[in-house]
Structures are given as C-alpha cells and as structure tokens.
C-alpha cells in the first residue's frame, strides 16, 4: 500500500471545512452578525375605495417599521373619509421590543384627527401571531383629563390557492369615558368586521374586493343615530395591498 500523502498543502488549496460559495458556518449563512442587521418595511395593508349605505369614501391602514430583530421604530396609521371629509384618522409612533419569536411589546404615542377636536394618547400594547397564524394587536391608551381607551385588532390570511387569499378581520374599540365632541360614548363604542378577497399578482402587490360591517354600541349608537340617522354601516370596498 502506498504511503499516505503528507506535507504542506498548496497556498490555493480549498479549506476542507469551508462551505461552498463563500458561505461560512452560521445559523444564517453569510450573516454571522445577523442580530445587528438593520432592516425596514412599508406595508400598505389597505388602500381602498368605499361605497356604503352612508355614502362614498375611502379608507386606509398603513404600517412602516425600521430596526433590528429585537428593537424597531414603528409607525402605523388608519382612517376613513366620507363625502370628501376625514371622519376618523389616527397616527401612532411606537417603539417595538421583541420578547418572543412571535410577540413583542409596543410603547409610544397616538394622535387622533378627523371630526371633532384632536386627541393625544400614550400607547401601550402587544403585537404578534397566535397559533394558526392569527395576527393580533392589543393596545391600551391613556389621554389627558383621565381619558382611557383600548383597541383590539385580529386578522388571518386563509390561502385558497397560491395567489387567492381570503382575509377575515375584526376590530373593536373601547373608551373609558364619553367624548361627545368626537361622537363617542363610554364602554364598547364600535366593532368592525370584514372579509377581503385579494389576488396576489405578486406577493408584494395584490388588488382586492370585500365587504365590511361597522356598528356602534351603547351611547355611541345613540350619538351616531342622532347625527346620521343610521347605526349599521355596510361597506363594499375595492382596493390594493402593497408592501416592500
């Protein structure tokens, strides 16, 4: 049997322990300091035209964030317009801190616009995904003069095909005290549910159609009937979801 090859390897010899393609051993090849990566995203979840039994209008639900896997600066805004005027709108600036692969806490401020006087709130909440991929946002708010509020949002993507996705959604709003200048009573004020069916031309671009139902409760219902003569609002929507 010939003796085993010995001696010093050539200078251009490949490291026998190296990965191909220039990758190195890592939980994320090529990104050994992945916990320090800074990334960002813009998510236009809803940008839609609305036709309802209370008139025509538009609505939006937009989020943007920038940061690493543990800490992120977060902006989110939602609102609606009817007959050329903004009825409700909010803008939130939040700091997100992850404490679990699927959950994180948020703290920041919220500014309300639209009909009635503007309101400013301190915001505290959690955001994440439950089993079976229900996306949840639960936020509590504290405003001036002892005002308190809470908002709960939940949604899920039901993939019917590789491109066709049905999204059921629910949003509930609660207020600790009445704010008649903005047409709000105390307790549970509104619940909105919706179904939107989108077609993903690309993952990042998906037009959709859908229907939503908006109803007020308690004193808010009385204020809404006095102002508009109707409480239940059925909305037919057509819009687009975009993210990058």
């Amino acid at each position: 049997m010939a003796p085993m090859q010995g001696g010093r390897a050539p200078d251009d010899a490949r490291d026998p322990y190296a990965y191909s393609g220039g990758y190195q051993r890592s939980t994320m090849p090529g990104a050994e300091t992945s916990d320090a990566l800074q990334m960002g995203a813009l998510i236009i979840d809803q940008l839609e035209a609305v036709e309802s039994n209370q008139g025509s209008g538009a609505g939006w639900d937009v989020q943007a964030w920038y940061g690493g896997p543990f800490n992120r600066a977060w902006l989110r805004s939602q609102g609606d317009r009817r007959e050329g005027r903004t009825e409700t709108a909010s803008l939130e600036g939040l700091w997100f801190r992850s404490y679990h692969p699927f959950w994180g806490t948020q703290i920041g401020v919220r500014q309300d616009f639209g009909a009635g006087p503007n309101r400013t709130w301190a915001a505290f909440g959690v955001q994440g995904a439950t089993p079976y991929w229900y996306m949840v946002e639960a936020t509590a708010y504290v405003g001036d003069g002892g005002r308190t509020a809470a908002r709960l949002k939940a949604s899920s993507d039901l993939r019917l095909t590789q491109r066709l996705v049905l999204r059921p959604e629910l949003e509930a709003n609660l207020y600790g005290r009445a704010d008649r200048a903005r047409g709000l009573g105390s307790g549970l004020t509104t619940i909105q549910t919706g179904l939107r069916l989108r077609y993903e031309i690309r993952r990042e671009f998906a037009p959709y159609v859908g229907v939503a139902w908006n109803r007020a409760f308690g004193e808010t219902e009385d204020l809404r009937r006095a102002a508009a003569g109707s409480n239940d609002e059925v909305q037919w929507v057509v819009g687009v979801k975009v993210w990058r």
Side-chain angles (χ1 to χ4, degrees):
M1 179 182 293
M4 295 181 65
Q5 182 179 353
R8 184 176 181 274
D11 293 337
D12 60 350
R14 179 181 179 275
D15 182 354
Y17 299 103
Y19 282 57
S20 64
Y23 289 111
Q24 302 176 20
R25 179 177 175 81
S26 167
T27 57
M28 184 179 290
E32 284 67 38
T33 58
S34 59
D35 59 342
L37 288 177
Q38 300 297 301
M39 300 172 287
L42 171 64
I43 306 167
I44 304 175
D45 205 41
Q46 295 174 15
L47 184 61
E48 58 193 28
V50 178
E51 187 68 36
S52 78
N53 56 347
Q54 297 185 17
S56 302
W60 71 90
D61 189 338
V62 180
Q63 301 192 38
W65 58 262
Y66 181 83
F70 301 107
N71 295 283
R72 297 176 182 177
W74 208 294
L75 288 174
R76 64 190 187 197
S77 176
Q78 67 180 69
D80 61 87
R81 291 175 60 84
R82 291 292 183 275
E83 305 300 333
R85 67 183 184 92
T86 301
E87 288 196 343
T88 61
S90 65
L91 175 64
E92 296 178 76
L94 304 165
W95 186 258
F96 177 88
R97 171 67 179 177
S98 174
Y99 66 87
H100 182 274
F102 300 106
W103 286 92
T105 57
Q106 293 179 318
I107 184 171
V109 295
R110 163 181 152 188
Q111 183 71 37
D112 286 348
F113 308 92
N118 296 345
R119 301 297 188 202
T120 303
W121 311 80
F124 312 88
V126 295
Q127 178 172 322
T130 71
Y132 303 101
W133 296 105
Y134 286 91
M135 307 306 296
V136 175
E137 296 175 13
T139 314
Y141 303 96
V142 179
D144 60 335
R147 290 187 174 89
T148 57
R151 175 181 290 164
L152 173 66
K153 298 178 68 176
S155 64
S156 181
D157 284 346
L158 307 178
R159 193 165 291 278
L160 305 181
T161 71
Q162 288 297 312
R163 294 184 181 272
L164 201 60
V165 183
L166 180 66
R167 168 173 279 196
E169 298 174 298
L170 180 143
E171 177 181 324
N173 289 279
L174 302 94
Y175 287 82
R177 56 186 288 188
D179 188 354
R180 294 179 180 82
R182 291 186 62 87
L184 298 169
S186 60
L188 178 63
T189 56
T190 58
I191 287 181
Q192 184 175 60
T193 60
L195 282 174
R196 289 170 173 83
L197 181 67
R198 72 177 185 265
Y199 182 81
E200 295 180 340
I201 298 174
R202 298 178 58 188
R203 297 296 187 205
E204 304 87 351
F205 183 84
Y208 64 81
V209 296
V211 60
W213 175 72
N214 191 337
R215 179 180 172 84
F217 297 87
E219 187 179 357
T220 307
E221 178 180 357
D222 297 335
L223 293 170
R224 181 177 288 188
R225 289 189 185 278
S230 176
N231 180 37
D232 291 327
E233 182 182 19
V234 178
Q235 304 172 352
W236 300 96
V237 303
V238 56
V240 64
K241 175 178 181 176
V242 182
W243 64 269
R244 58 168 301 170

